[in-house]
Amino acid sequence: MTHPLIYSRNFFATLTLLSICLCVNAQTVVTTALSPDSAAIKAIDEQSFAKHIRILASDEFKGRKPFTLGETKTINYLKTEFEKLNLKPGNGKSFFQEVPMVDIKSIPEEKLVIKGKNGSVTAELLTGFVAGTKHAAAEVSITNSPLVFAGYGIVAPEYNWNDYAGLDVKGKTVVVMINDPGLSDSSLFKGKNMTYYGRWTYKFEEAARQGATGILIIHDDIPAGYPWSVVRSGWSKSKLQLEAADQNTSRATVEGWISLDIAKQLFTLAGKDGSLLFKEALKPGFKAVDLDLTTSLKIKTSIKRSVSNNVLALIPGTKKADEALIYSAHWDHFGVGEIIKGDSVYHGAVDNATGVAALLELASAFKKAKVKPERSILFISFTGEEQGLLGSEYYAKHPVFPVQKSVANINMDMMGLAGKTKDIVIYGYGQSELEDYAALSAKKQGRIIVADPVPSSGLYYRSDHFNFAKVGIPSLFTGSGVDNVAHGKEWGMKQAQDYIKTRYHSPQDNFDEKTWEMSGMVEDVRLLFDMGYRLSTEQTFPKWKTGSEFKAIREKR
């Protein structure tokens, strides 16, 4: 997954209230609770689930990075497993959808030096800054580029917000904050519920639209939702992107991050009070501040063009084959990289061998159902999620089923961190009627759905379902609950936090059959099967709820 799962301590104080509210507010979308036969449900079991994870997360698969032997092994494994289940190719006559990409390894200078009238600040590569370029060129550079503090780097007309108002950033490097203003002031934007404007991907995109030469995002653990080590890990490797006609020259020449400590130093060098600037940036009408500092940086690149693959498999519907319910999970991870604790293979067991294994389990369940789905079921395993949701972006632009015939997307990423739980988390709660389907399926298991306890982390915008949402397809993304049935909430939260701190996006994310609790994953996937089975037999399409930013997109189609 592009982003971590983190639970706040105040989760326990609010869980009961959340549970009551969500159950009361859940709409009764389906009046009859359809019950698939037991053979279909039992097809989702711990033994086969664990087998798939063990294989996909093994050293043999080399961390499943696109363009490598790991990709070849992974996509062929999926193709073979789908064929064993007698699924049909999901892309015409092929199980593969080619995704043209460029692999760019950015090699910046070891030091980023920021100069001012009263001295300089030096940031060391990987510890104080990371940087790269999307330009498909052998070398890029910025020279004596003026630094401008542009607050959150957001232009949002619907919130009457424009951090770039009256600012010409051509030739300049903007320094911006992570997340959006709602995290610090609940009266702004959506309050603690992070919007897409808070995502680092958006900030790079907006800087490019404004014509900036460079952009540096200030990292801060709490508003970012993850530690600096995650930034360092992601930016120390080559990065993939979709092939663009302009070779991405429309993007800023340099995109990167600086640590909070370096940010404080550069504000001091500029004679500014960083804490005061952060507070000023929260005020509507904030004006960008010229820091009277400059920086230069040269980045050499190693470029490789190739084609990666999404893997698609299909169960045609018996009555409405032209309509499709889509299950998805990304197969890619980070390959072989920086050695950490003696291991260099980024196994990606939780992230996301679990989701891919779930995809195969769901396919098995649908094939074993005595009453076959009336709508088609499309299973997609995406490439390039860890590089910026690239495979799903490509599919959304080149769909096999037309968008208006795509019923919904149910996405799986990082399954079952806390074992078998009484709850299941819905990210982006309040977005669509899919949550109501999930609530009904959870009730059949004696469970409840709960909203994301840390909405400020913006997890709804951080996995492949987001690209479906952007084109109007209702999309559901669930996460592991924390209220473990045997050990309680404290234990469950500890499991999730331990994963983020010690294994997430590192070689230590591997499969341990002795310690892994698989029953929670199995129950979660059975829940997703139950709700998907109901969707596959209906006439209507689930809708976006009032207040969702995606509602108007769907209605236009």
Side-chain angles (χ1 to χ4, degrees), residues 356-400:
V356 178
L359 201 67
L360 294 170
E361 292 298 288
L362 285 163
S364 177
F366 273 101
K367 287 297 292 186
K368 286 182 171 62
K370 291 180 180 178
V371 179
K372 302 305 179 184
E374 296 178 8
R375 286 168 160 163
S376 295
I377 312 295
L378 181 63
F379 303 90
I380 312 180
S381 194
F382 290 116
T383 182
E385 191 272 354
E386 300 288 11
Q387 306 291 331
L389 318 184
L390 301 182
S392 56
E393 179 185 348
Y394 187 85
Y395 178 86
K397 293 176 179 177
H398 307 87
V400 172

Side-chain angles (χ1 to χ4, degrees), residues 418-495:
K420 193 172 183 178
T421 61
K422 299 175 184 178
D423 54 347
I424 185 168
V425 171
I426 304 293
Y427 295 116
Y429 181 81
Q431 289 282 4
S432 79
E433 291 177 346
L434 291 175
E435 300 152 10
D436 307 325
Y437 285 84
L440 289 169
S441 293
K443 186 177 181 180
K444 290 168 69 173
Q445 295 180 332
R447 303 171 71 192
I448 58 173
I449 65 171
V450 296
D452 182 0
V454 192
S456 60
S457 62
L459 283 170
Y460 192 74
Y461 309 99
R462 297 186 175 194
S463 193
D464 286 313
H465 62 283
F466 179 48
N467 280 318
F468 287 90
K470 286 170 74 174
V471 296
I473 301 171
S475 303
L476 184 77
F477 183 33
T478 61
S480 170
V482 294
D483 192 1
N484 183 274
V485 295
H487 306 291
K489 301 168 190 173
E490 296 267 355
W491 185 91
M493 186 182 75
K494 184 178 179 182
Q495 308 313 303

Side-chain angles (χ1 to χ4, degrees), residues 106-122:
S106 293
I107 310 168
E109 295 173 302
E110 292 292 322
K111 299 179 188 297
L112 175 70
V113 180
I114 300 164
K115 297 179 179 179
K117 295 177 181 177
N118 299 315
S120 64
V121 170
T122 299

Side-chain angles (χ1 to χ4, degrees), residues 2 96 105 197 206 221 240 332 350 367 381 461 502 553:
T2 318
F96 304 132
K105 171 67 173 176
Y197 295 115
E206 190 58 51
D221 286 9
L240 293 170
D332 68 302
V350 172
K367 287 297 292 186
S381 194
Y461 309 99
T502 64
I553 301 172

Side-chain angles (χ1 to χ4, degrees), residues 176 178 217-221 224 226-228 231 257-261:
V176 301
I178 193 60
I217 298 175
I218 301 169
H219 176 269
D220 190 351
D221 286 9
Y226 40 84
W228 177 260
V231 178
W257 296 68
I258 54 175
S259 68
L260 183 59
D261 179 62

Side-chain angles (χ1 to χ4, degrees), residues 13-26 429 439 447-451:
T14 59
L15 178 61
T16 302
L17 179 60
L18 273 171
S19 304
I20 293 171
C21 292
L22 295 182
C23 289
V24 170
N25 291 332
Y429 181 81
R447 303 171 71 192
I448 58 173
I449 65 171
V450 296

Side-chain angles (χ1 to χ4, degrees), residues 316-385:
T318 57
K319 295 182 179 179
K320 297 183 286 291
D322 62 328
E323 298 176 3
L325 170 66
I326 302 168
Y327 284 99
S328 63
H330 73 90
W331 60 256
D332 68 302
H333 202 56
F334 290 106
V336 179
E338 184 179 10
I339 298 174
I340 299 177
K341 297 180 181 179
D343 195 352
S344 62
V345 177
Y346 287 66
H347 303 278
V350 172
D351 186 12
N352 186 36
T354 58
V356 178
L359 201 67
L360 294 170
E361 292 298 288
L362 285 163
S364 177
F366 273 101
K367 287 297 292 186
K368 286 182 171 62
K370 291 180 180 178
V371 179
K372 302 305 179 184
E374 296 178 8
R375 286 168 160 163
S376 295
I377 312 295
L378 181 63
F379 303 90
I380 312 180
S381 194
F382 290 116
T383 182
E385 191 272 354

